[in-house]
């Protein structure tokens, strides 16, 4: 039921541009050909039914280290802002977690072979084919494991307090706001781990601290700073499941310059990719770009067709809602938004500027993607950007092809703000 609801909501949020692009590039055809990895029927019946009750679930219980695991996602702590003079509040942080059953994914060998054929590995032989299939199998695993709804985990905060996160609902994910006290400075980071560390296969989360004022960068990931080939369903499968994660040329150096010039701003990386990609994306982002939480899309459908739809359907509404939440957290920050022309970043950022104005959004940079064959059409036309940024001052938004074009604009942000 939840899967149907999520799919229906995403379909309703699909824009005409997204629908046209998905139709032109045959996304629906590719999605229909992809297998379903797990099923709601893989979850015990009582646990499945009770998961509809969310926090009121009478069968909820702690993660079992022997059979279950939990992922903790990086987050940023902030002080709640009041509209009237008020003493500074304790730190708050929105912690996200996902719960899984260990080793419960179905045999993926046939699925691996199917994806290998779709991305062109059928032409390879011997060691190359074997190594490629090992890589695909490894990256498929987070999609194959069955979720564990109705589970909670205890974590220890920097002030020594222990809090319970969860229980997770239908999709076995939670996003929970907790408070913590203590003296922490802007840019400081600490590790937050589960009391029973063995339940977190990817280790503790990293929590940063952001004061009320200063710079903040909201950056898209796919085809803005990492090659994903979003307009092409086969390209998405290839860059996600087979190829090493690859940065967009010039973007790591640009972001290093931004980080220094804007006095180490708070970073948020926003992607419509499902959270199942966190184990793949996190090491790449850590090694390549300034640290900050990776905000990924909840995905309760547990199949690969849902993965492609997540990246290409309803992304404008999803990103707008996520950014509105960031505004509630840090409304006094000065914000720089960075995105690209493959998806609906111009439209989403235009919506946000019209909603909050120049007091919050200071600049918007959009990478004009020209190195993908499917980008030859209307997505890169000047009319598209003019429409997306209607009522946004022309000096606020910039469309670029080479990251080197932006250094002067970044330097100018400090002088003008």
């Amino acid at each position: 039921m939840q899967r149907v609801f999520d799919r229906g909501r995403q379909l309703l949020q699909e824009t005409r541009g997204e629908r046209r692009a998905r139709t032109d590039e045959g996304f629906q055809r590719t999605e229909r050909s992809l297998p379903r990895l797990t099923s709601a029927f893989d979850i015990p019946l009582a646990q499945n039914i009770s998961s509809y009750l969310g926090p009121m679930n009478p069968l909820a219980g702690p993660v079992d280290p022997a059979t279950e695991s939990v992922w903790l996602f990086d987050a940023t702590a902030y002080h709640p802002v009041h509209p009237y003079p008020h003493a500074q509040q304790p730190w708050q942080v929105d912690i996200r977690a996902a719960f899984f059953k260990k080793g419960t994914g179905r045999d993926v060998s046939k699925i691996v072979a199917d994806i290998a054929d779709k991305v062109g590995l059928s032409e390879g032989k011997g060691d190359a084919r074997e190594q490629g299939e090992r890589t695909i199998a490894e990256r498929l695993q987070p999609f194959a494991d069955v979720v564990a709804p109705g589970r909670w985990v205890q974590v220890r905060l920097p002030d020594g307090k222990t809090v319970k996160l969860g229980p997770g609902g239908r999709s076995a994910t939670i996003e929970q706001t907790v408070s913590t006290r203590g003296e922490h400075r802007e840019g400081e980071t600490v590790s937050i781990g589960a009391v029973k560390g063995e339940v977190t296969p990817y280790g503790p989360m990293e929590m940063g601290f952001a004061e009320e004022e200063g710079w903040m960068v909201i950056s898209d990931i796919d085809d803005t700073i990492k090659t994903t080939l979003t307009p092409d369903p086969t390209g998405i499968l290839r860059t996600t499941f087979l190829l090493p994660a690859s940065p967009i040329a010039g973007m790591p150096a640009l972001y290093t310059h931004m980080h220094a010039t804007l006095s180490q701003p708070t970073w948020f990386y926003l992607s419509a990719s499902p959270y199942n990609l966190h184990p793949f994306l996190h090491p790449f982002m850590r090694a390549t770009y300034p640290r900050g939480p990776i905000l990924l899309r909840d995905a309760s459908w547990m199949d690969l067709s849902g993965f492609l739809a997540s990246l290409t359907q309803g992304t404008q509404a999803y990103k707008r809602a996520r950014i509105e939440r960031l505004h509630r957290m840090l409304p006094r920050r000065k914000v720089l938004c960075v995105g690209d022309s493959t998806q609906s970043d111009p439209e989403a950022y235009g919506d946000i500027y019209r909603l909050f104005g120049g007091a919050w959004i200071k600049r918007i940079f959009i990478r004009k993607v020209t190195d993908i064959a499917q980008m030859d059409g209307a997505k890169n036309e000047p009319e598209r950007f003019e429409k997306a940024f209607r009522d946004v001052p022309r000096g606020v938004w910039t469309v670029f092809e080479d990251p080197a074009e932006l250094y002067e604009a970044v330097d100018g942000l400090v002088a003008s703000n």
Side-chain angles (χ1 to χ4, degrees):
M1 183 67 71
Q2 184 68 31
R3 174 176 179 266
V4 174
F5 173 79
D6 287 345
R7 278 289 182 84
R9 178 179 57 187
Q10 194 165 287
L11 184 61
L12 288 173
Q13 292 175 340
E14 182 183 51
T15 65
R16 280 183 293 179
E18 289 173 336
R19 189 178 305 116
R20 182 171 57 250
R22 283 173 49 81
T23 299
D24 290 347
E25 302 307 326
F27 271 84
Q28 294 92 337
R29 182 174 61 254
T30 302
E31 288 165 359
R32 285 193 295 269
S33 73
L34 290 170
R36 184 166 168 79
L37 290 169
T38 61
S39 166
F41 295 104
D42 296 327
I43 304 171
L45 181 61
Q47 188 178 356
N48 190 358
I49 295 174
S50 64
S51 66
Y52 283 99
L53 300 176
M56 305 302 292
N57 186 346
L59 300 182
V63 172
D64 180 353
T67 61
E68 297 167 333
S69 64
V70 59
W71 300 357
L72 299 175
F73 301 96
D74 295 344
T76 296
Y78 57 94
H79 290 298
V81 175
H82 292 265
Y84 50 88
H86 202 287
Q88 191 175 65
Q89 298 297 291
W91 294 99
Q92 282 190 357
V93 61
D94 301 332
I95 299 181
R96 294 170 298 127
F99 301 85
F100 292 90
K101 293 184 176 295
K102 292 181 179 179
T104 49
R106 296 173 177 173
D107 180 10
V108 297
S109 57
K110 291 183 180 179
I111 302 171
V112 168
D114 180 67
I115 292 179
D117 290 342
K118 282 182 168 61
V119 302
L121 262 183
S122 56
E123 301 170 4
K125 295 180 180 179
D127 292 344
R129 171 83 183 198
E130 185 177 333
Q131 178 57 48
E133 289 192 348
R134 280 200 299 267
T135 300
I136 294 171
E138 179 182 335
R139 295 188 190 171
L140 268 177
Q141 198 57 53
F143 290 85
D145 283 343
V146 176
V147 298
R151 290 295 176 259
W152 51 263
V153 64
Q154 286 189 317
V155 299
R156 198 177 307 280
L157 300 179
D159 58 8
K161 181 174 66 176
T162 297
V163 297
K164 185 177 86 170
L165 300 179
R170 287 291 297 161
S171 61
T173 62
I174 59 104
E175 185 162 4
Q176 184 172 323
T177 302
V178 301
S179 297
T180 182
R181 297 185 179 274
E183 296 295 328
H184 300 282
R185 65 184 185 279
E186 169 79 17
E188 180 183 349
T189 59
V190 298
S191 292
I192 304 294
V195 172
K196 295 182 178 180
E198 65 270 28
V199 303
T200 51
Y202 299 107
M205 60 173 278
E206 183 176 274
M207 184 171 79
F209 293 86
E211 295 287 358
E212 295 175 15
E213 299 181 353
W215 278 98
M216 179 166 77
V217 181
I218 301 173
S219 173
D220 175 57
I221 295 177
D222 302 294
D223 293 314
T224 297
I225 60 175
K226 172 194 164 292
T227 300
T228 303
L229 306 180
T230 309
D232 176 12
T234 302
I236 293 175
L237 294 175
R238 185 180 297 115
T239 57
T240 300
F241 294 110
L242 179 63
L243 300 179
S246 174
I248 299 296
M251 293 304 285
L254 175 66
Y255 275 35
T256 298
H257 181 73
M258 286 182 182
H259 196 60
T261 303
L262 302 180
S263 301
Q264 300 185 344
T266 294
W267 292 80
F268 291 95
Y269 297 99
L270 178 59
S271 172
S273 295
Y275 69 81
N276 311 70
L277 283 183
H278 186 263
F280 170 55
L281 289 173
H282 191 258
F284 164 74
M285 296 295 293
R286 279 282 185 93
T288 313
Y289 293 104
R291 290 192 173 189
I294 304 171
L295 306 179
L296 301 173
R297 204 170 189 175
D298 190 2
S300 63
W301 34 78
M302 301 186 291
D303 61 15
L304 292 178
S305 63
F307 158 61
L308 289 180
S310 177
L311 269 169
T312 58
Q313 193 175 61
T315 61
Q316 180 177 342
Y318 160 73
K319 291 185 176 182
R320 185 174 60 234
R322 266 294 181 185
I323 297 173
E324 287 178 14
R325 184 160 186 164
L326 293 179
H327 179 267
R328 291 194 292 272
M329 289 169 50
L330 295 163
R332 295 178 182 170
R333 286 265 164 168
K334 294 174 288 189
V335 179
L336 167 61
C337 296
V338 189
D340 67 85
S341 61
T342 62
Q343 296 176 302
S344 55
D345 293 342
E347 289 75 16
Y349 291 159
D351 287 347
I352 290 298
Y353 187 93
R354 287 185 288 273
L355 183 61
F356 298 119
W360 199 54
I361 303 292
K362 300 301 181 182
R363 284 301 297 266
I364 300 170
F365 297 151
I366 297 294
R367 177 177 177 255
K368 182 180 177 181
V369 178
T370 58
D371 53 357
I372 302 176
Q374 290 84 353
M375 292 301 296
D376 290 339
K379 283 190 174 183
N380 280 339
E381 292 298 326
E383 292 78 12
R384 185 251 177 124
F385 301 118
E386 293 287 348
K387 181 179 180 181
F389 293 118
R390 71 183 187 280
D391 301 325
V392 179
R394 188 62 185 83
V396 169
W397 57 278
T398 298
V399 178
F400 71 97
E401 294 184 38
D402 185 345
E405 302 170 31
L406 298 180
Y407 281 78
E408 185 176 346
V410 173
D411 294 342
L413 288 173
V414 178
S416 60
N417 291 278

